Amino acid sequence: MEDKTQEKLQLQDEISLVDILRLFVRKLKILIIVALVAIIAGASYGYIKTRDVNYFGTTIAFYVNPQKDENSDQESEYSIYGSYGENVMDNMVKLLSSELFAESLMLDKDGLPDDGMIDKVKATKGEEVATALATKVANARATLAAIDTKDAELDAATDALSEAKDTMYALQSDVNNAWADLGKYGTPGRIASPSNEDEHTYNTIWDNYQLAIDAYETATEQQAIARDNLKAAKKAQKAAFEDTLAQWRKDYSAYYAGELARYRWAASYSYKSASDGSDSNFARSFFYVYISVTNDVDFANNVRNRIVEYVPMFIEEIMPVPGGYLDTNCQRITRNDYIVNTNAGYARNTAIRYAILLAAVAIVVACVIIVIVDRSDKRLRAVEQITEKFNLPVLGVIPNIHIVKDKNTEDNE
């Protein structure tokens, strides 16, 4: 009997969902106050945290495709779609996302440190170090002028070779015609003892033809020399640039790592647009640059301008040229791609989000505390609990009546 009574008391001590809801209703005012305080605190914290956070950015789209050699009959997989395949585009994106391209964004259009960097080196390493670096930069830049000179010399030599070739072929045709006019057969050659005026004229044409052959051979040699000179100039330029950039990375060490990371993470690259959900393996011709910079609109504009200028040059230089194609074409296809504030209303939205989140957490915590406090109250709350707990009959219950006096009655008293 005692066990049953104990079990009954234990069941009555347990709280049901209905009891919990009733408890929350009784404490509704406390829960509302807690929610309001949490909303105010969360909204204030969210707004203060993000009110000065602005993201500046844009999206730039480029069109990339291999340029077909009209004189080539070689078939290529790229001729099927007229664009590069997914694997090639994926490699391109990886290269653009690398430190290699990020470093190129730090440098000027020649790929060398600018005067601002030299000034920073002077401020950190001293004037002597800065002067030495500036000299290296100047010498490296001079190699670019040397390449331009050698390139112009190669163009001139190529034009001269083409002209000499045309002259040689024209005189060869004259020789053949004059040889045929003399009624001779076989391979033309110089007449050892000309017997008439026609044969003298033929020998003159033949001699001019031989001079044209010599001129063509000389032009061929001059073109080869010019090509070798251009290769040597490019080799010297590459060595000068590598040496200069190695010294610059060392002298600019106080800023290099930070700026490199900043340029690298200021832009992201993809050959799929944000709205492109296709996973097909078909070739693609478009890729996208997404720029996002925090609280620095000048830097965002700087990155955007360099992306517009440097990406086509970088792509056209590094992209592989498939068989039957001449080179790679890369051009920007967007025009309204200027830097804008991309997070308008960010502080407001963050404040709302923090307010809702903190209010939800505060209400949950408050509900748990209310339940714990209520259950820790061991006072008897019902008449039945007295009878069952002490095994004593209850003869009567005296109600606790609160008499509310009328105001007029109080005044009369």
Side-chain angles (χ1 to χ4, degrees), residues 399-411:
N400 185 11
I401 301 175
H402 297 277
I403 300 175
V404 179
K405 296 183 179 180
D406 185 70
K407 185 176 181 181
N408 295 328
T409 305
E410 294 179 352
D411 293 338

Side-chain angles (χ1 to χ4, degrees), residues 9 148 162 236 242 261 282 291 299:
L9 285 173
D148 291 338
S162 178
E242 289 178 352
F282 288 110
I291 298 175
F299 179 68

Side-chain angles (χ1 to χ4, degrees), residues 179 182 184 189-203 206:
W179 185 258
L182 293 175
K184 297 181 179 295
R190 197 176 194 283
I191 299 175
S193 300
S195 59
N196 54 49
E197 184 177 353
D198 290 339
E199 290 183 349
H200 279 288
T201 301
Y202 167 80
N203 277 349
W206 172 265

